[in-house]
Amino acid sequence: MSEPMTGTNTVTETDAATAEAATAGAVRGAPALPDEFAVQIADSVNSFVLSVSEIAKGDEPGSAISLLLLEVSQLLLTGGRLGAIEDVLPDDRYEPDTDRSEAEGEDELRERLAELLAPIDVYHEVFDPYGPAEERPNTFRISDDLAGVVSDLRHGLAHYQAGRVPEALWWWQFSYLANWGSTTTAVLRALHSLVAHVRLDSPILAAADGADIDDDGLTDDQLAEQAGAVMAAELGAGDADK
C-alpha cells in the first residue's frame, strides 16, 4: 500500500517554511545559521586572544613575529566574515552590563608585547587611505594595537559566555567596522613589511623617525640595525628547524 501523499506535502511545506524563516532572519541581519556562525566566530576570537597572550609570554621569542603574522591574518578573515553579513541586531536596545574582568591584564599584555617586540614595536601608518592627500603618517605601536584588539574581543566574549549570542555578534561586528578591523589591518602590514624586508634582503629603515622610543638612547640607525637583527635571527632560527 502506498504512503499517503500528505507526508510529502508536509515535508515540502516545512522546507519552505524553514527557507522563508532563514530569509527573514537574513533580512533582519542575523546569519542564516546563527548558532553555527556564532560558534565559528567565537572559536576564532577566543583562539586569537589565547594565542596572543601565549606569544606575549616570550617563551618562544624566535617565532613571535611569524606567529603574530599568522594570528592577525586569521583574525582578519574572521572580521571579513562579520563585515560581509547584514547588520546584526542585538536583542536589547541597550547593551547589558558585562563583567569588566575581560579588561584586566590589558596593561600587562601590552607591556609584555612591547618588551618582546622591541625595537620593532613602533611603525608608521596612514590612518585613512581615503583621507586628505596631505595627511602625514601617524606613529603607532604593535604592542598597543594588539592589546587594544584583545580588549575589544574579550568584551564580546563576555557577552558570548553569558549566553548573549546576538549581543556578542553585534559587538564583534560593530567593533570590527569601527576599530579593530583597521587596527589589525595596519598591524598586518607592519608585520608583513618586517618579514618581507628580511626575506627580500632589503634594509629595514628606522621604524619611526623622531618617534618616542622611550628614551632608550638609540639612534634611528641603531634602531633599524637592531630591528634587522631581530628579524634575521628569527628567520634564521626558523630555517634551522626545517
Side-chain angles (χ1 to χ4, degrees):
M1 182 174 182
S2 60
E3 294 292 332
M5 293 298 292
T6 54
T8 303
N9 291 337
T10 301
V11 172
T12 303
E13 291 170 0
T14 301
D15 290 345
T18 302
E20 182 178 354
T23 302
V27 171
R28 289 196 301 271
L33 299 173
D35 291 340
E36 181 180 351
F37 182 85
V39 168
Q40 292 173 354
I41 296 297
D43 285 348
S44 177
V45 165
N46 192 52
S47 175
F48 179 83
V49 169
L50 293 177
S51 296
V52 171
S53 298
E54 285 299 312
I55 293 170
K57 292 179 180 179
D59 295 336
E60 299 290 339
S63 58
I65 296 171
S66 298
L67 289 175
L68 286 175
L69 178 64
L70 175 62
E71 293 299 330
V72 170
S73 299
Q74 291 176 333
L75 181 63
L76 280 172
L77 175 59
T78 299
R81 296 183 67 192
L82 289 166
I85 64 172
E86 298 286 341
D87 290 347
V88 177
L89 301 179
D91 293 334
D92 300 317
R93 180 177 179 184
Y94 300 101
E95 183 182 5
D97 292 334
T98 60
D99 180 1
R100 297 304 297 171
S101 61
E102 82 272 359
E104 296 178 2
E106 182 179 344
D107 288 340
E108 181 182 359
L109 177 63
R110 179 183 291 106
E111 292 169 1
R112 285 183 172 181
L113 286 170
E115 181 179 356
L116 179 66
L117 298 174
I120 53 176
D121 195 16
V122 179
Y123 71 97
H124 274 147
E125 173 67 10
V126 176
F127 179 72
D128 185 358
Y130 290 99
E134 65 273 11
E135 180 181 1
R136 300 189 62 184
N138 295 310
T139 299
F140 299 93
R141 290 180 179 273
I142 296 175
S143 55
D144 289 342
D145 289 345
L146 289 179
V149 170
V150 167
S151 180
D152 272 348
L153 298 178
R154 281 176 172 165
H155 185 74
L157 278 174
H159 285 304
Y160 183 82
Q161 292 166 353
R164 297 186 293 269
V165 176
E167 193 73 35
L169 288 175
W170 170 83
W171 171 257
W172 284 325
Q173 184 185 58
F174 167 77
S175 58
Y176 164 74
L177 296 172
N179 185 29
W180 62 265
S182 59
T183 299
T184 49
T185 300
V187 170
L188 180 67
R189 282 196 291 268
L191 294 170
H192 170 267
S193 179
L194 287 170
V195 174
H197 272 291
V198 172
R199 291 287 178 87
L200 300 177
D201 196 23
S202 175
I204 297 179
L205 302 179
D209 279 341
D212 172 22
I213 53 174
D214 297 336
D215 297 324
D216 54 12
L218 294 176
T219 66
D220 287 341
D221 288 342
Q222 290 171 326
L223 187 65
E225 182 178 352
Q226 287 195 17
V230 169
M231 282 302 302
E234 172 176 332
L235 295 175
D239 293 338
D241 292 338
K242 294 179 180 179

